[in-house]
Amino acid sequence: DTGVSQDPRHKITKRGQNVTFRCDPISEHNRLYWYRQTLGQGPEFLTYFQNEAQLEKSRLLSDRFSAERPKGSFSTLEIQRTEQGDSAMYLCASSLAGASTDTQYFGPGTRLTVL
Amino acid sequence: DAKTTQPPSMDCAEGRAANLPCNHSTISGNEYVYWYRQIHSQGPQYIIHGLKNNETNEMASLIITEDRKSSTLILPHATLRDTAVYYCIVRGGYNQGGKLIFGQGTELSVKP
C-alpha cells in the first residue's frame, strides 16, 4: 500500500508528558498537512508544508505544538507538556502541488488520549 | 468557517441511490467542490471533486448546478459499507492551495 501512513496509530500518555507523531506521505507528494479532530467534529487544520517549508500555521497550533519536515519527506508533530484537551485524532494528509487541483489524501490518523 | 451547508443526517435503503445535497452559495469562480467521507475512526477518504461540470468516477457522481451554488453527491447503489459522515468542502485550486475547512458533514446511514 503506497498511501499516507501514520505512526503510532494510538498513543496514551499522562498529562505533562511530551509526545511525537510521525507521518509518511505518498512518495511523490510535496505538500503535507496536519489536522486535528475531536469527537463529533470535523477535522480542523493545524499546519502545512510544501517540501521543507512550513507555509501556514493555524491559531490552534499553540506554542506547545511543533511540526517539522526536515528533508521534505516525512513529517513529525510534537506536543510538549500534554494537556487533557489535546486528546484527539491527529490526521496527516498529502498532496501534489502542480497537479490541477492539489487533492489531499489522508492517512489513518493517530488517536491521542491524555490521562 | 466552512463555506458549505449540509443536512446533519440522512437515511438510505441498501441498493438504492443516496443523494447527498450541499449548499455553497458564496462559492467563487475559481473554487472547487470536494467531497470526502469518513467511516468511524478512520481518516477521511477522498471521493470526488468538480469545478462546474458534472463528474463521475468509480465511487460516485457529482452534480453541480449551473449557478454553482449547490451540488449533489450521488452514490448510485448504496451498500452498508457506505455508512459514514460525508463532507462537502469548497476550496481553491492549485494556486490557492492549503487547508481544507470541514463543516459538520452529513451522517449517512444505509439500512438493510
Side-chain angles (χ1 to χ4, degrees), chain A residues 85-109:
Chain A
D86 297 331
S87 295
M89 173 81 87
Y90 289 85
L91 294 159
C92 176
S94 71
S95 70
L96 178 62
S100 62
T101 56
D102 190 22
T103 299
Q104 295 179 31
Y105 296 90
F106 284 80

Side-chain angles (χ1 to χ4, degrees), chain A residues 31 33 35 37 40-43 45 48 56 89 91 97-108 111, chain B residues 32 34 36 38 40-46 49 87 91-94 96-104:
Chain A
R31 283 186 174 167
Y33 305 78
Y35 293 81
Q37 185 174 25
Q41 303 297 315
F45 170 79
Y48 94 95
E56 186 175 354
M89 173 81 87
L91 294 159
S100 62
T101 56
D102 190 22
T103 299
Q104 295 179 31
Y105 296 90
F106 284 80
R111 182 168 296 284
Chain B
Y32 288 75
Y34 279 78
Y36 285 79
Q38 189 171 26
H40 183 60
S41 295
Q42 298 182 20
Q45 178 188 22
Y46 165 75
H49 71 275
Y87 295 100
R91 72 180 285 248
Y94 165 66
Q96 300 188 35
K99 57 183 176 280
L100 297 172
I101 300 175
F102 289 79
Q104 297 296 314

